[in-house]
Amino acid sequence: MSGRWCKIPNAVGAIDGTSLQIYRPSVEPQEQYYSGHRQHHAVHTQVVVDNEGIIRFVQSGFLGHMNDAQQFAMMQRIGTDLVFPHDCFLLGDKIYPNRYPIITPFSAGQVARRHGRDRRRCVKFNRYVSSCRIIVEHSIGELKTYRAVSTIWRHPRYLLPSVVVICAGLVCRRKELNLIM
């Protein structure tokens, strides 16, 4: 998978998170599920896609009050030597930590501290990363075409991660069928 993005040849995919709205929990502490950023109760999902836009890894069930970086720290299997090769990277947005296995764009402060040619390189790099990361946004959009994950979740919460994985499988299957035709 490496080499598809010529300016970042070791980037093999992208990672991003999305939130799925749920009803306010009546039995559990509701504060853990409340996302102040989104202004509703939510369960978050992390999606990893390859550089062709095919969903390779989905993990759902993170509490609503957590951000993408906290969820990434809790993710299983990603970042271990057995699953992710040392010379490959994922593209993430600015919320993720800029350390292996994720490459993030330069922050506005980092760009402002640079001068002249270095500043222009940073801005070009950020634009290139954005143009490459759009595939994960499109994949999440395709995932949310299924009503089970795009509307408010009305069923027991323990079922949600399984439904998200099934919908991700359907998205991958639909992409495979579109490539064949």
Side-chain angles (χ1 to χ4, degrees), residues 3-4 22 34 40 65 68 71 83 85 90 109 126 147 150 169:
R4 176 152 190 236
I22 61 170
Y34 187 74
H40 58 74
H65 75 279
D68 288 348
Q71 296 164 26
V83 175
L90 295 172
N126 284 358
R147 227 176 94 203
S150 64

Side-chain angles (χ1 to χ4, degrees), residues 1-12 51 87-89 103 128:
M1 299 308 295
S2 63
R4 176 152 190 236
W5 294 318
C6 58
K7 295 180 183 175
I8 313 172
N10 289 345
V12 294
N51 53 18
D87 59 341
C88 297
F89 298 96
I103 295 175
Y128 188 72

